[in-house]
Amino acid sequence: MSEPQDVMDKLVSLCKRRGYIFQSSEIYGGTGSVWDYGPLGVELKRNVKEAWWTSMVHMRDDVEGLDASILMHPRVWEASGHVAGFSDPLIECKSCRRRFRADLPEVQERQCPVCGTRDAFGEARQFNLMFKTFMGPVEDTSAVIYLRPETAQGSYVNFLNIQQSARQKVPFGIAQIGKAFRNEITPGNFIFRTREFEQMELQFFVKPGSDDEWFEQWKAARMEWHLANGIRKEKLRFHEHGPDELAHYAKKAFDIEYEYPFGWKEFEGIHNRTDFDLSRHQEYSGKRLEYIDPSTNERFIPYVVETAVGVDRTMLVALIDGYREETVEGEERVVLGLIPKLAPIKVAVFPLVKKDGLPERAEKLHASLRRAAVNSFYDDAGSIGRRYRRQDEAGTPWCVTVDGQTSVDGSVTIRDRDTLVQVRVAEDRVLGWVKERLL
Ligand code: ATP
């Protein structure tokens, strides 16, 4: 297997070649740390979000969905603490003027990691990560507005709207998937840390006193979810935040970490945010945000257990974890071992040769799969071996081949990407066969 940096380079080029991920505004030389998702990338992204939404919202009675706006009242970010405290320590190299996050291990040695100057840095200063812009036609301070750096605040300010309209009782949660923006000082590692990204966040409101128990439940549930996405167990671990790592709002926090080619780093954050956010919004808005327990008439501000994971980061982990190079039947191949639920293309349909009516028959099968909303791909170009390799690299779990035998008994072969085992299945059974395995 290749060196870690090699793996990242190979993945970046595979993602471009196969239409997963392109650099943003590439023809202009690219924009720093933002990426565009191509035909396969957008499918993977949708599948990641669908998997999260299904498990967090559709399979539960105690979680409601929300899609809050990106632009919010500027007071929200004062109440949340982001205006005062959502910053990273920034240092600048005296020689090359490049800027870095002061807490990066690479700059702890006081040597510039880019130009190599020793004793390169002065005092660190705090740099706020929120993107600022103006709302309306007048650019004055009263019109300043921020692009949200997290989706969570939209859930807090809508806490009572949702609790009352959905007639939920505490404990219950609000789930959101949406874009977030952070003017990161040191973005990088492909889509690991970008300035525009998407989050999948759950805010789960509980009675104070039951928060520790709920925290444990969500911690376990989130780990289960990653395992169900096929991520290797030995590549995942929990990391508890020590007192100096804890965010200002958190009583307790665990990260789920993944072992990326560039080391163990955060994948998802699970936080006990106490009643910090709702209390602050109550204070800053002057509106009561208490919950009244209908059975006891007790009033309290709920505690919040939050689970927060990036869509892009989930994609990166799925791509890295699934990537493998191997030799089969004497030939090298690259495989993206995505689980079928996440794979962008579910089935590829090939005629073995371009004659004897096989292409027409294969196209008909392909069209019937598409009509049934199974993302199928038709390919008749090149040798069958090359067509298999292209699909292995794209992460397609099954390849269906229409061959001479099909004209005799109506059966086709289905080849499994991982085991390479081929089974013969009746043409009209292919849809059912695939659907059974997608469930
Ligand atoms: P860090 O300390 O590494 O900057 P964080 O602890 O501030 O990250 P959270 O605020 O907990 O991150 O964000 C929740 C999740 O959102 C992260 O676990 C990650 O999956 C995703 N995320 C956060 N920042 C980014 C980013 N800049 N690019 C891509 N995904 C991100």
Side-chain angles (χ1 to χ4, degrees):
M1 193 66 185
S2 322
E3 289 298 306
Q5 189 49 46
D6 250 26
V7 173
M8 285 309 288
D9 291 346
K10 285 179 179 174
L11 196 63
V12 173
S13 80
L14 182 150
C15 283
K16 179 169 176 182
R17 194 166 65 242
R18 288 286 159 240
Y20 270 96
I21 304 171
F22 311 119
Q23 202 183 4
S24 160
S25 320
E26 195 187 74
I27 59 167
Y28 286 97
T31 319
S33 76
V34 277
W35 299 85
D36 295 341
Y37 294 102
L40 296 196
V42 71
E43 294 296 330
L44 174 59
K45 200 175 200 202
R46 286 169 63 106
N47 295 341
V48 162
K49 292 197 268 187
E50 188 62 29
W52 188 87
W53 197 261
T54 302
S55 94
M56 302 297 266
V57 183
H58 288 172
M59 292 177 80
R60 303 186 63 106
D61 285 326
D62 56 359
V63 175
E64 303 290 343
L66 171 70
D67 184 6
S69 57
I70 288 171
L71 304 177
M72 300 181 75
H73 195 287
R75 291 274 286 167
V76 165
W77 305 109
E78 289 172 30
S80 68
H82 282 82
V83 171
F86 190 59
S87 50
D88 277 340
L90 174 143
I91 46 172
E92 189 175 283
C93 171
K94 287 179 197 154
S95 171
C96 71
R97 298 274 162 218
R98 284 202 174 76
R99 292 170 171 188
F100 307 93
R101 246 171 87 160
D103 55 355
L104 286 182
E106 301 91 292
V107 297
Q108 297 293 303
E109 302 301 315
R110 307 203 52 75
Q111 181 174 1
C112 176
V114 174
C115 72
T117 305
R118 291 189 178 278
D119 245 343
F121 308 114
E123 280 298 296
R125 64 183 172 88
Q126 289 301 317
F127 173 77
N128 196 297
L129 302 183
M130 281 198 295
F131 280 98
K132 233 188 227 180
T133 185
F134 300 93
M135 188 175 246
V138 189
E139 285 199 12
D140 65 16
T141 49
S142 62
V144 164
I145 201 139
Y146 300 97
L147 299 188
R148 69 177 175 200
E150 61 178 27
T151 65
Q153 301 302 324
S155 298
Y156 304 139
V157 300
N158 279 296
F159 164 65
L160 283 184
N161 280 341
I162 290 182
Q163 184 264 316
Q164 288 162 3
S165 61
R167 294 193 293 121
Q168 279 285 358
K169 293 196 181 83
V170 168
F172 80 97
I174 301 178
Q176 274 205 88
I177 300 179
K179 288 261 179 167
F181 302 83
R182 296 182 187 180
N183 198 3
E184 301 278 3
I185 300 168
T186 326
N189 283 324
F190 198 23
I191 54 170
F192 175 78
R193 191 183 300 285
T194 54
R195 294 192 168 113
E196 172 180 343
F197 57 100
E198 212 162 347
Q199 289 187 309
M200 304 184 281
E201 295 197 304
L202 168 79
Q203 313 303 319
F204 200 78
F205 302 90
V206 305
K207 192 169 176 182
S210 65
D211 48 312
D212 289 335
E213 201 185 314
W214 276 108
F215 186 87
E216 290 309 317
Q217 278 200 35
W218 278 114
K219 222 178 104 191
R222 294 307 305 150
M223 184 59 100
E224 276 303 307
W225 188 74
H226 295 300
L227 294 171
N229 285 337
I231 307 305
R232 284 169 291 171
K233 199 171 182 180
E234 66 274 19
K235 294 280 179 182
L236 294 165
R237 72 177 186 197
F238 284 112
H239 161 76
E240 181 167 14
H241 284 209
D244 50 341
E245 282 175 281
L246 274 182
H248 59 281
Y249 51 74
K251 168 176 153 187
K252 196 174 192 180
F254 272 78
D255 289 339
I256 294 178
E257 293 188 333
Y258 179 79
E259 191 180 16
Y260 303 87
F262 43 89
W264 284 97
K265 297 209 181 300
E266 177 172 340
F267 182 2
E268 165 152 15
I270 301 150
H271 307 114
N272 181 340
R273 296 180 71 129
T274 69
D275 58 0
F276 175 83
D277 301 276
L278 288 183
S279 301
R280 292 275 288 198
H281 286 304
Q282 176 164 285
E283 184 190 334
Y284 277 67
S285 69
K287 300 277 176 351
R288 288 187 105 153
L289 292 178
E290 288 165 333
Y291 171 74
I292 306 169
D293 188 322
S295 52
T296 61
N297 277 335
E298 200 186 339
R299 287 172 174 271
F300 60 87
I301 294 190
Y303 268 38
V304 171
V305 174
E306 174 190 60
T307 74
V309 66
V311 175
D312 317 74
R313 210 168 280 185
T314 308
M315 294 173 68
L316 180 64
V317 169
L319 290 168
I320 291 173
D321 207 69
Y323 182 90
R324 60 179 200 267
E325 295 163 6
E326 58 191 24
T327 310
V328 287
E329 292 153 8
E331 252 190 84
E332 292 262 312
R333 69 166 189 165
V334 172
V335 185
L336 264 189
L338 301 170
I339 61 160
K341 192 168 68 174
L342 295 185
I345 301 169
K346 309 299 183 199
V347 191
V349 183
F350 312 144
L352 182 64
V353 287
K354 274 205 255 185
K355 57 179 188 188
D356 304 333
L358 299 189
E360 292 73 17
R361 205 151 176 171
E363 274 189 64
K364 212 170 136 199
L365 175 58
H366 160 68
S368 72
L369 290 166
R370 284 236 168 209
R371 265 199 310 278
V374 169
N375 202 11
S376 164
F377 181 83
Y378 177 82
D379 191 3
D380 61 12
S383 73
I384 194 82
R386 290 199 46 188
R387 283 180 265 167
Y388 282 147
R389 300 287 170 266
R390 281 201 287 266
Q391 294 308 315
D392 290 342
E393 216 185 48
T396 307
W398 303 296
C399 292
V400 175
T401 305
V402 172
D403 56 18
Q405 187 70 21
T406 314
S407 324
V408 179
D409 62 7
S411 72
V412 295
T413 65
I414 304 182
R415 169 212 187 245
D416 184 280
R417 176 196 65 203
D418 300 320
T419 63
L420 301 177
V421 168
Q422 302 202 14
V423 288
R424 286 209 84 89
V425 173
E427 229 171 346
D428 57 3
R429 275 281 306 135
V430 173
L431 177 62
W433 189 98
V434 169
K435 285 209 154 167
E436 274 161 33
R437 280 153 187 83
L438 280 175
L439 281 177

